[in-house]
Amino acid sequence: SGTPINKKVSLENIMNNLPDGADIRMAPVSLANADVTMTDTLHSGHINVLPDGSADRTYTLPTPTGGGEVYRFIYGGSAADTDNHIIKCPGSAVHFTGAVMHLDTDEAGAAQTTTVFGNGSSNDTFTSTNTEMLDITIVSSSTTNYFISGLCASDTDASFG
């Protein structure tokens, strides 16, 4: 009653014992060209595809449970977007900790790459301006923190606020 079995099981064994027709793939979620309030049920564990928007768009994460919910965002546009993609924590009590590497596409040399950091205490918003490429992973670590990591490219530095 509640005692876990510490037994090594191969991935092959797991796959071979799935019911016929079982599919463990997670379909990507194409996010609307609108502000979106994310949910654990619809968006966690999926690749969330950001559109080439017609205006700045905000994607608000749900309150984390600290259970390791994972949200992955990629940019799905076919050209550079002229608007901002904003990923926001819910309320002012949840923050980002971690780093995103930014490639500035209209710079050269050492100034072309920068790393922006979420400080874990006041940074509750990540903004990619004029997105050309984006691949961000966000993982809850507690009820007040999301870890963030990834890459983005644009002609304007990404930022936390």
Side-chain angles (χ1 to χ4, degrees), residues 7 18 24 28 70 107 143 153:
K7 179 181 175 185
L18 287 173
I24 61 171
V70 177
E107 285 286 340
T143 57

Side-chain angles (χ1 to χ4, degrees), residues 32-36 50-60 81 83-88 126-128:
N33 183 12
D35 292 344
V36 176
L50 302 175
D52 184 351
S54 59
D56 292 354
R57 299 299 182 206
T58 300
Y59 306 94
T60 304
D81 198 336
D83 299 298
N84 299 344
H85 291 103
I86 303 160
I87 303 172
K88 186 169 178 34
F126 171 78
T127 303
S128 175

Side-chain angles (χ1 to χ4, degrees), residues 8-31:
K8 291 183 180 180
V9 178
S10 71
L11 182 57
E12 179 181 15
N13 189 338
I14 292 170
M15 297 302 289
N16 287 337
N17 287 297
L18 287 173
D20 287 340
D23 189 350
I24 61 171
R25 293 177 291 183
M26 300 294 280
V29 177
S30 294
L31 299 174

Side-chain angles (χ1 to χ4, degrees), residues 37-40 60-67 69 71 88-94 140 142-146:
T37 299
M38 312 292 287
T39 66
D40 185 27
T60 304
L61 297 166
T63 301
T65 67
E69 308 96 308
Y71 300 89
K88 186 169 178 34
C89 293
S92 60
V94 181
S140 75
S142 72
T143 57
T144 60
N145 188 74
Y146 277 114

